[in-house]
Amino acid sequence: MDFCPAGSTDLSEAEEAEIEKIRQHRQELLEDIKKLKEEIAEVFAEIECFQNAEERPEADNNPEEQTSKLSQRDKLLSLGRKKFNMDPAKGIQYLIEHQVLSSDLQEIARFLHKGEGLNKTAIGDYLGGRDPTNIQILQAFVACHQFANLNLVQALRQFLWSFRLPGEAQKIDRMMEAFANWYCKCNPGVFQSTDTCYILSFSIIMLNTSLHNPNVKDKPPFERFVTINRGIDNGGDLPEELLKNLFESIKNEPFSIPEDDGNDLTHTFFNPSREGWLLKLGGRVKTWKRRWFILTDNCLYYFEYTTDKEPLGIIPLENLSVRKVDDPKKPNCFELFNPNCKGQKIKACKTDGDGKVVEGKHQSYKISAATPAERDEWIEAIRTSITQDPFYDLVSARKKKIASKN
């Protein structure tokens, strides 16, 4: 179906150019759809081939057939890993249905702990689930770690390398609770309660950020670390020598955060905090352009089309603020700005006309929503993303629990 009759004289040059652009994009989408259909057909053909081979009993007595079965299992495992990285629950279900994994929770936990080919962010999301099954798998996963005779920093290094902590406070709480329980079980007598281990673990994680994040100018001294952790051991103080060793360990070597294997950006956009069409004012050339925005993981991404795989630009929200502003040309505007560095360009990136990634040109970002309600919802979502630091809330709640006991 064409968008207008060929040779129509009712359109301006700009409108005709826009329609031609839409036609080209439509053709690209059709080609992408065709390729996807072909890939899906190939996958289903392989699966059918695997299933047929598994149903032939004579394969058990034929070495070549057994080798073929191993190869088929490897292909199913590879496909299951890809499914897991896109949707962890469906990936596990697929592997169980195709008998690559059993439904034994210990086996699933070992599979996640081994982690070969698995996205560390997806592992974290799955382990943080609130279903009883997820919680049991989390406990079995934590028990795969050998924490005996390790100090708390050493144990945290091992634990935090095996997945990426999710951003949701309740998930973090469940995972760190399981860690504290297992650490105390492996090292009886180090702390008077698991609450002590839980709070100190968060203090260490926050210390790591404070000491090694270049945006944090006020580096905490050891004395402040001691003060923060006063009274957390069932109302008493932890030995200063223990705290000193933990402090120096983090100061000398920050935590290593695992890098994901190419699926991280794709995975990022599956559960955004907010997404939708907005108008963005250019940085160097002051024109308004319609862009598809996605807010997730303390970053604002914008795309030319909803179907684009790569963003045109990325705006990290760290150290930024957001506010309503008026504009003579567009209604319902809000602005992203750095309140501490007026006149300086915001640290952001975009792709130029040649597809190269370059530094953004904005001292602030002015954005227009379709309605006042949408503007207010975006402002609220961005503010939540900027200020969201669940660690402090979780530690505060646990300290109140200890205080109430004493």
Side-chain angles (χ1 to χ4, degrees):
M1 185 181 88
D2 246 339
F3 294 93
C4 67
S8 170
T9 58
D10 296 330
L11 301 174
S12 67
E13 278 189 33
E15 288 171 332
E16 287 180 346
E18 186 65 26
I19 288 175
E20 181 59 31
K21 191 175 180 181
I22 292 171
R23 283 199 188 98
Q24 291 175 359
H25 183 59
R26 175 175 174 269
Q27 187 59 38
E28 290 170 0
L29 285 175
L30 290 173
E31 289 173 0
D32 285 344
I33 291 169
K34 183 180 177 182
K35 288 177 183 177
L36 283 171
K37 286 182 177 178
E38 291 171 353
E39 290 173 3
I40 291 169
E42 289 175 3
V43 170
F44 276 113
E46 286 184 356
I47 291 172
E48 186 177 357
C49 177
F50 300 155
Q51 291 172 336
N52 290 341
E54 288 174 348
E55 290 169 1
R56 286 154 49 196
E58 65 269 23
D60 293 333
N61 301 317
N62 188 325
E64 291 184 5
E65 290 286 344
Q66 289 177 345
T67 303
S68 176
K69 270 191 173 184
L70 287 174
S71 175
Q72 291 159 6
R73 185 187 182 280
D74 288 343
K75 289 180 180 178
L76 285 169
L77 177 59
S78 176
L79 188 56
R81 285 170 174 160
K82 289 178 181 178
K83 286 180 178 290
F84 178 89
N85 292 339
M86 301 298 282
D87 186 322
K90 289 183 179 178
I92 294 295
Q93 181 182 355
Y94 175 88
L95 291 168
I96 292 172
E97 287 176 351
H98 289 82
Q99 299 180 344
V100 179
L101 281 179
S102 75
S103 57
D104 178 68
L105 303 186
Q106 299 286 338
E107 183 181 339
I108 295 171
R110 288 192 294 271
F111 170 74
L112 298 176
H113 181 250
K114 192 174 182 182
E116 289 183 2
L118 300 182
N119 182 294
K120 295 292 180 76
T121 303
I123 294 173
D125 283 342
Y126 185 75
L127 292 173
R130 62 182 180 183
D131 290 344
T133 299
N134 291 73
I135 292 172
Q136 291 178 56
I137 292 172
L138 168 63
Q139 292 167 347
F141 174 87
V142 174
C144 291
H145 296 77
Q146 302 300 319
F147 293 153
N149 301 315
L150 299 182
N151 70 34
L152 192 56
V153 169
Q154 292 170 328
L156 281 169
R157 289 190 195 282
Q158 185 187 135
F159 184 57
L160 296 176
W161 180 252
S162 60
F163 66 96
R164 295 186 76 171
L165 269 177
E168 186 181 330
Q170 290 180 339
K171 289 185 176 182
I172 295 173
D173 178 57
R174 283 190 287 270
M175 299 175 87
M176 296 307 296
E177 183 77 55
F179 167 82
N181 287 334
W182 182 244
Y183 181 84
C184 289
K185 190 171 184 178
C186 292
N187 298 278
V190 174
F191 303 115
Q192 291 192 37
S193 73
T194 57
D195 288 334
T196 306
C197 182
Y198 177 98
I199 293 172
L200 187 56
S201 296
F202 275 119
S203 293
I204 291 168
I205 293 171
M206 291 187 287
L207 175 67
N208 179 78
T209 301
S210 299
L211 290 177
H212 299 289
N213 187 330
N215 293 318
V216 178
K217 306 302 180 186
D218 181 22
K219 304 299 181 185
F222 170 65
E223 291 73 21
R224 191 185 305 172
F225 183 64
V226 172
T227 301
I228 288 171
N229 291 293
R230 288 202 187 283
I232 67 171
D233 200 24
N234 274 0
D237 294 339
L238 290 165
E240 192 165 307
E241 183 181 357
L242 181 148
L243 293 177
K244 185 69 173 178
N245 290 337
L246 299 178
F247 182 90
E248 290 298 325
S249 179
I250 285 296
K251 183 180 178 181
N252 294 331
E253 184 184 355
F255 286 132
S256 296
I257 304 301
E259 295 291 336
D260 276 319
D261 52 1
N263 297 302
D264 193 42
L265 189 61
T266 303
H267 189 81
T268 292
F269 301 135
F270 268 84
N271 294 295
S273 303
R274 187 170 178 82
E275 59 185 339
W277 288 106
L278 296 167
L279 295 173
K280 183 184 78 69
L281 184 63
R284 187 169 53 85
V285 180
K286 299 298 182 182
T287 56
W288 291 90
K289 292 186 178 178
R290 189 170 183 255
R291 297 289 182 245
W292 179 256
F293 279 81
I294 291 180
L295 173 63
T296 185
D297 289 343
N298 205 30
C299 282
L300 195 58
Y301 302 81
Y302 59 90
F303 303 75
E304 186 171 7
Y305 302 107
T306 58
T307 52
D308 287 349
K309 297 180 178 67
E310 299 291 338
L312 287 176
I314 304 173
I315 309 169
L317 297 175
E318 190 173 14
N319 298 323
L320 298 187
S321 293
V322 60
R323 64 189 173 193
K324 295 180 187 178
V325 291
D326 294 324
D327 186 89
K329 294 183 178 179
K330 296 293 178 184
N332 313 316
C333 289
F334 62 92
E335 181 182 49
L336 291 166
F337 67 101
N338 189 333
N340 301 316
C341 301
K342 292 181 180 178
Q344 295 185 18
K345 284 186 289 189
I346 291 174
K347 292 180 180 178
C349 64
K350 65 174 186 175
T351 52
D352 64 11
D354 298 324
K356 295 179 181 177
V357 178
V358 297
E359 186 180 2
K361 305 288 185 183
H362 291 262
Q363 294 181 10
S364 66
Y365 284 86
K366 188 177 283 188
I367 298 169
S368 172
T371 66
E374 280 191 28
R375 175 200 60 200
D376 294 345
E377 288 167 1
W378 272 102
I379 289 175
E380 182 61 30
I382 290 170
R383 280 180 179 157
T384 300
S385 181
I386 291 171
T387 60
Q388 188 178 32
D389 191 344
F391 289 1
Y392 290 97
D393 293 337
L394 292 169
V395 170
S396 177
R398 194 56 61 101
K399 283 185 175 180
K400 287 178 182 177
K401 178 183 173 183
I402 290 176
S404 66
K405 288 181 180 178
N406 299 288

